[in-house]
Amino acid sequence: MFEKTLNDLIRGLRANRGNEDKYIRQAVVECRREASSQDLDVKAGALLKLAYLNMFGQDMDWAAFQTVEVMASSRFVNKRIGYMSASLGFTQTTDVLMLATNLIKKDIFAANAGDVCVALGGLADIVTPDLARDLAPDVTKLLNHSKALVRRKAVLTLYKIFLRYPEALRSSYPKLCEMLEDEDQSVVSAAVSVITELSRKNSKNYLTLAPALFNLLTTSTNNWMLIKIVKLFATMLPLEPRLVKKLISPLTDLVQATTAMSLLYECINTVVSTEILSHPSSDFLTRLCVTKLRTFFSVGDQNLKYVALLAFGKIMNTRPELILPCQDLIMECIDDADSSVRLRALDLVSYMPTRSTLPDIVRRLMLQLLPSSKLSLTDDQRKHIVHRILEMCRKETYGLIDDFDWYMSVLVDLVKVARTDIGGQLCDEIRNVCVRVEDIREFALPLLADLATSREQLEQIDRPQANGRALIAAVWCVGEFAGALDSIEPVLDRLLEVKPGAFQFELQHAYLSGVIKLFARWASQLPRFDAEARMAVQGKARKLLEFARMITSAQDVETQRRALEVVAVMNVGIQAIEEHAVDLEEQVPAFFTDIMPSLYLGEALLKPVSDTAQQHIKVPDQLDLDADIYPPTPPISPIQPARDSEDILGLEDAADRTEEERLATRKSRQERCRDDPFYIAPDASERSISGGDLIRVADLDTLPDAAQARDEKPRRRAKRSHKPVVILQDEMPDGVVQEPVGQETAPGVARSTNNPAPRNVLRVDHSGLALFDLSKQDASDAEVDELDAVLRARTELQQAPREAGKMQEKAVSKKRGKKKKKSVADEKPSRNRTAVASSPVIDVATEPEIVDSREHPLLVSAPAESMHHQGDGYLDLNEIARDEDGELEVVRKPKRKSKKAMS
């Protein structure tokens, strides 16, 4: 009587703020003590408090047995608490669930409808495969209950049973279909909901319900049920194309008449997501859907805006001409405060630009990236905006761009205002535009030079948000297409002022390549080599030498090698200036006019190559790709250990040998070690120990400088070509026509017209229903039915003579006046025995074979618990054995071990 109630527990938690953990531990101890009480009311109160504490993460598995006891209470209040605790604390591995089978069976057949509903609700939460198998027939019987509330609960509970035990669907499916014609609309709605969920994984099983569902679609006024029916038909349309034409008329009526936005959107979504959209008879319906979607933007609900944009995206893939009139609504959503609406509108806008609208769309998107924008954008949203800008401008190979000067200015501005790590994409785009469009280089190179030497960009070049990788393309284009510059010297001076020592090696390599190309082109274009020009060339050569020396310690080996190469070249260039004859001042040294251009300036024009060009190159007939280019190297034989004086470990007799013998031995050793990759061939230095010759070691002091030892020339760069202003297309091999790019898919829409599988938001396990087929009868059920028919016939034949004997025995007992015991046949079967129903008499003589073991393997291994007692209507399945011919026969199993065959 002094136990705390749930209200006391809540008040105590509020009073112990900051010390809740200690109070909860004390409350759990009290609940344990109360749960061990013999009073069911006290136990129910303890479980109620435990259910509340379960929301705080407290475990209540230890109270599983007490939960079953409260579930068995006769009071409705306690029973409801017990089932609620079971739904919270029971799992698929709870042991006491075995004790709850008979308890739940008793409750679902209770006279009180409240007890039945509570039991059904609890069963739906705690059902396991075993419970589903045992209780599915009982729940199916409740579909005939007189109360609509119970029928509705039973229908919904069957869905949870089907998830755990799909075979129950086979026997319950006819009754479930009858619920579609129930007199109570709530029961019909529940049945439609269950069938809709079942069809999410395998709609083929429920195609036969199409007439009944179509009738409900045209007659029902329940919006919730209509939504479910429309969803159900959407899953059936890919399997039954004839439904497309049938559904156009009722869907048109619903779209025109309904005022419920949820039902309206579901109808529109079904139209735009299925084959209805592409059907010839759906033109009016599609235009009507677009008109209705326009009203979603005027309601003011952000959710309706979002779903309208989703529907526009699906229509865009098939009927883009219907979305173009709605461009004003979509453009307004670009600046919406809701990020989800804004991004969805951006996906749509990227598929709608034209030559006239592209600059305005790009301008509005660029304004969102500025620091003065009122929108709060994340890094991912900034990347998404930049991606969409580049995607719109690249459409049709830059066919929507009239002014490439404008586009290059946009790319340079994006490097500065994007403030997100998008430098790699901008680098590729800048290089691509400069390579494809030759006429833009005169305008682009000064912009790119300013970008590559910008103090603001260089100071924060280590930050990913600075997009430092875009400077790689900037300095590469300046060096590669330097001929398009009006004046090279100012750009070269500004680049030489950059300090690349702290850059990443990609930037170091790019700056070094760009600067040396600029210098080579500037020096080769000098008109004369007077004193002023001599001082200018010599000064820039020394600056370039210092510039390259900053990179000689780069971490990347290739960058370091290129820096050493430039150092060596500049040393030679400075020496050439100093040795230049005074009387040849009017002539520029050949080193700058011939040698350096041949090293760093090429004559070929760079052209873009298609990604699929390699696939279209035909292999020449005379080329065998499987043959070795070089003959295979013979296997290297292991070096035999030196003998006599050549053995390193035995040099005691090396001094006794003549000079001729030593030379002969040395020559033979060199021949043996010629193919050995680990042998260092001798140069000029050799070492000997005690007159014996050892393997020569290369003298590191005689190695040449790395810059002087370089023997390969750098890759040649293309030279500016004077051609008409065109956009270069991707090159393909001769005779191959590039395939046209397919129609672009609208955002979020798959190319396939099939309805995609919906996402399982609640993570319900439908795996058991995915492969379940109602059209195929279970083999095990067929075998058991056939066996039961044969066994019933045999049992009736065996009972016929016994009945005659019983009648005669009763007559004798009456005469004697003695009371006879009840016949064994009158006794009720034991709990683990199954009665055999009556069946027509079958002549055993006409059926010599009871059943074939190959067709019914389950009968040979029947469990010992499967008992059908003979003589009183039951037969033991373990008494079925094989005869000499391999067939099955029934044998008697007496108490003794010997077996006696039954005739």
Side-chain angles (χ1 to χ4, degrees), residues 401-682:
I401 300 178
D402 290 331
D403 186 2
F404 278 94
D405 295 348
W406 163 82
Y407 184 47
M408 182 56 63
S409 301
V410 169
L411 293 177
V412 174
D413 291 340
L414 283 176
V415 176
K416 301 176 181 179
V417 304
R419 290 184 295 166
T420 185
D421 188 9
I422 201 73
Q425 290 81 350
L426 293 175
C427 174
D428 296 338
E429 190 67 13
I430 291 173
R431 182 186 290 114
N432 194 25
V433 173
C434 288
V435 170
R436 289 179 181 271
V437 186
E438 183 179 358
D439 190 54
I440 198 180
R441 296 169 188 169
E442 185 177 355
F443 175 82
L445 293 184
L447 281 180
L448 297 178
D450 294 341
L451 180 65
T453 58
S454 172
R455 183 181 299 274
E456 181 181 358
Q457 291 294 124
L458 295 176
E459 287 178 352
Q460 54 182 355
I461 198 168
D462 293 334
R463 297 177 53 198
Q465 292 80 5
N467 296 315
R469 293 185 60 84
L471 302 184
I472 297 177
V475 72
W476 181 87
C477 292
V478 170
E480 191 70 31
F481 308 114
L485 289 170
D486 294 336
S487 178
I488 300 177
E489 187 174 4
V491 177
L492 178 60
D493 291 337
R494 288 159 57 191
L495 285 175
L496 289 174
E497 297 297 329
V498 177
K499 308 297 181 183
F503 292 176
Q504 295 182 357
F505 68 88
E506 298 97 337
L507 276 170
Q508 291 177 340
H509 193 283
Y511 270 85
L512 183 63
S513 299
V515 170
I516 190 64
K517 290 178 183 178
L518 272 177
F519 178 82
R521 189 172 296 277
W522 170 76
S524 64
Q525 294 178 355
L526 289 174
R528 52 185 301 176
F529 200 71
D530 54 8
E532 184 180 356
R534 176 191 294 268
M535 292 181 60
V537 174
Q538 191 171 13
K540 288 179 175 54
R542 294 187 183 279
K543 287 184 179 182
L544 182 54
L545 183 62
E546 295 298 326
F547 187 93
R549 284 175 177 171
M550 297 180 189
I551 310 177
T552 53
S553 59
Q555 297 180 356
D556 182 59
V557 177
E558 179 65 22
T559 305
Q560 188 180 100
R561 188 191 66 81
R562 183 59 60 90
L564 293 174
E565 170 193 309
V566 173
V567 168
V569 172
M570 287 297 99
N571 284 329
V572 175
I574 294 173
Q575 185 179 359
I577 296 175
E578 294 174 351
E579 296 177 355
H580 187 64
V582 179
D583 54 348
L584 298 177
E585 289 185 355
E586 299 297 328
Q587 184 178 358
V588 181
F591 178 83
F592 298 104
T593 58
D594 299 332
I595 298 178
M596 287 197 69
S598 65
L599 290 176
Y600 300 108
L601 304 179
E603 298 295 335
L605 177 65
L606 289 178
K607 294 182 180 180
V609 181
S610 174
D611 295 338
T612 60
Q614 182 69 27
Q615 303 174 5
H616 296 86
I617 296 178
K618 188 177 180 181
V619 180
D621 297 335
Q622 64 274 15
L623 177 62
D624 186 5
L625 295 178
D626 296 329
D628 294 328
I629 299 178
Y630 295 101
T633 304
I636 300 174
S637 59
I639 302 176
Q640 300 295 330
R643 297 179 180 178
D644 301 331
S645 63
E646 294 300 318
D647 192 349
I648 298 177
L649 299 179
L651 303 175
E652 53 274 1
D653 59 342
D656 299 333
R657 306 192 59 179
T658 62
E659 187 65 20
E660 291 78 10
E661 292 176 344
R662 290 179 184 176
L663 292 176
T665 305
R666 183 185 307 167
K667 186 176 180 180
S668 63
R669 184 179 65 245
Q670 291 177 356
E671 291 294 330
R672 289 199 312 268
C673 300
R674 176 179 298 173
D675 297 327
D676 187 2
F678 301 101
Y679 177 74
I680 301 177

Side-chain angles (χ1 to χ4, degrees), residues 242-525:
R242 291 176 296 179
L243 285 174
V244 174
K245 188 175 182 180
K246 283 285 186 182
L247 289 176
I248 291 178
S249 177
L251 288 178
T252 303
D253 296 339
L254 285 175
V255 172
Q256 288 178 329
T258 185
T259 58
M261 288 296 184
S262 56
L263 177 58
L264 177 60
Y265 172 72
E266 197 58 49
C267 295
I268 294 175
N269 185 51
T270 301
V271 171
V272 302
S273 303
T274 60
E275 293 82 353
I276 297 178
L277 184 63
S278 57
H279 196 272
S281 304
S282 65
D283 183 69
F284 174 76
L285 177 58
T286 306
R287 296 182 181 275
L288 180 63
C289 291
V290 174
T291 304
K292 291 292 183 179
L293 286 174
R294 291 182 64 94
T295 62
F296 283 22
F297 294 91
S298 60
V299 176
D301 189 348
Q302 295 296 102
N303 295 327
L304 292 180
K305 280 186 181 180
Y306 184 79
V307 297
L309 292 173
L310 281 178
F312 279 163
K314 296 175 182 178
I315 299 175
M316 178 72 73
N317 189 36
T318 306
R319 305 287 297 276
E321 69 278 2
L322 299 179
I323 306 301
L324 293 179
C326 305
Q327 186 174 358
D328 55 339
L329 297 175
I330 300 174
M331 291 296 296
E332 292 178 1
C333 295
I334 289 181
D335 300 324
D336 196 278
D338 191 341
S339 60
S340 59
V341 174
R342 187 170 61 248
L343 292 178
R344 186 58 60 184
L346 180 59
D347 291 340
L348 277 174
V349 167
S350 61
Y351 289 86
M352 301 169 58
T354 60
R355 285 178 175 267
S356 58
T357 60
L358 178 62
D360 182 61
I361 295 174
V362 173
R363 181 186 61 82
R364 297 184 64 169
L365 294 179
M366 292 280 289
L367 290 177
Q368 296 182 6
L369 299 174
L370 295 177
S372 59
S373 175
K374 298 180 180 180
L375 300 176
S376 179
L377 303 177
T378 63
D379 286 345
D380 292 338
Q381 292 172 355
R382 289 181 171 275
K383 289 181 182 179
H384 191 69
I385 291 175
V386 176
H387 278 305
R388 290 305 181 188
I389 292 176
L390 298 181
E391 181 182 347
M392 287 187 292
C393 296
R394 280 197 299 254
K395 290 177 71 69
E396 302 176 9
T397 315
Y398 307 100
L400 301 181
I401 300 178
D402 290 331
D403 186 2
F404 278 94
D405 295 348
W406 163 82
Y407 184 47
M408 182 56 63
S409 301
V410 169
L411 293 177
V412 174
D413 291 340
L414 283 176
V415 176
K416 301 176 181 179
V417 304
R419 290 184 295 166
T420 185
D421 188 9
I422 201 73
Q425 290 81 350
L426 293 175
C427 174
D428 296 338
E429 190 67 13
I430 291 173
R431 182 186 290 114
N432 194 25
V433 173
C434 288
V435 170
R436 289 179 181 271
V437 186
E438 183 179 358
D439 190 54
I440 198 180
R441 296 169 188 169
E442 185 177 355
F443 175 82
L445 293 184
L447 281 180
L448 297 178
D450 294 341
L451 180 65
T453 58
S454 172
R455 183 181 299 274
E456 181 181 358
Q457 291 294 124
L458 295 176
E459 287 178 352
Q460 54 182 355
I461 198 168
D462 293 334
R463 297 177 53 198
Q465 292 80 5
N467 296 315
R469 293 185 60 84
L471 302 184
I472 297 177
V475 72
W476 181 87
C477 292
V478 170
E480 191 70 31
F481 308 114
L485 289 170
D486 294 336
S487 178
I488 300 177
E489 187 174 4
V491 177
L492 178 60
D493 291 337
R494 288 159 57 191
L495 285 175
L496 289 174
E497 297 297 329
V498 177
K499 308 297 181 183
F503 292 176
Q504 295 182 357
F505 68 88
E506 298 97 337
L507 276 170
Q508 291 177 340
H509 193 283
Y511 270 85
L512 183 63
S513 299
V515 170
I516 190 64
K517 290 178 183 178
L518 272 177
F519 178 82
R521 189 172 296 277
W522 170 76
S524 64
Q525 294 178 355

Side-chain angles (χ1 to χ4, degrees), residues 829-845:
S830 58
R831 187 170 58 183
N832 60 345
R833 296 181 177 183
T834 305
V836 181
S838 59
S839 177
V841 178
I842 301 177
D843 189 2
V844 182

Side-chain angles (χ1 to χ4, degrees), residues 167-312:
E167 284 296 329
L169 179 59
R170 196 180 305 279
S171 58
S172 304
Y173 182 69
K175 294 296 297 181
L176 184 62
C177 295
E178 293 178 6
M179 294 297 100
L180 295 176
E181 302 175 357
D182 194 273
E183 58 185 10
D184 189 273
Q185 289 299 309
S186 63
V187 178
V188 178
S189 179
V192 170
S193 300
V194 170
I195 294 174
T196 302
E197 294 302 317
L198 292 175
S199 66
R200 290 164 65 91
K201 284 297 180 181
N202 191 356
S203 302
K204 184 179 179 181
N205 290 334
Y206 313 100
L207 284 175
T208 56
L209 299 177
L213 294 173
F214 186 84
N215 182 42
L216 291 175
L217 181 65
T218 55
T219 58
S220 177
T221 58
N222 187 341
N223 289 336
W224 175 256
M225 185 166 61
L226 289 174
I227 291 174
K228 292 292 184 180
I229 294 175
V230 171
K231 285 185 175 181
L232 184 54
F233 275 121
T235 62
M236 293 181 178
L237 286 176
L239 303 175
E240 184 51 71
R242 291 176 296 179
L243 285 174
V244 174
K245 188 175 182 180
K246 283 285 186 182
L247 289 176
I248 291 178
S249 177
L251 288 178
T252 303
D253 296 339
L254 285 175
V255 172
Q256 288 178 329
T258 185
T259 58
M261 288 296 184
S262 56
L263 177 58
L264 177 60
Y265 172 72
E266 197 58 49
C267 295
I268 294 175
N269 185 51
T270 301
V271 171
V272 302
S273 303
T274 60
E275 293 82 353
I276 297 178
L277 184 63
S278 57
H279 196 272
S281 304
S282 65
D283 183 69
F284 174 76
L285 177 58
T286 306
R287 296 182 181 275
L288 180 63
C289 291
V290 174
T291 304
K292 291 292 183 179
L293 286 174
R294 291 182 64 94
T295 62
F296 283 22
F297 294 91
S298 60
V299 176
D301 189 348
Q302 295 296 102
N303 295 327
L304 292 180
K305 280 186 181 180
Y306 184 79
V307 297
L309 292 173
L310 281 178
F312 279 163

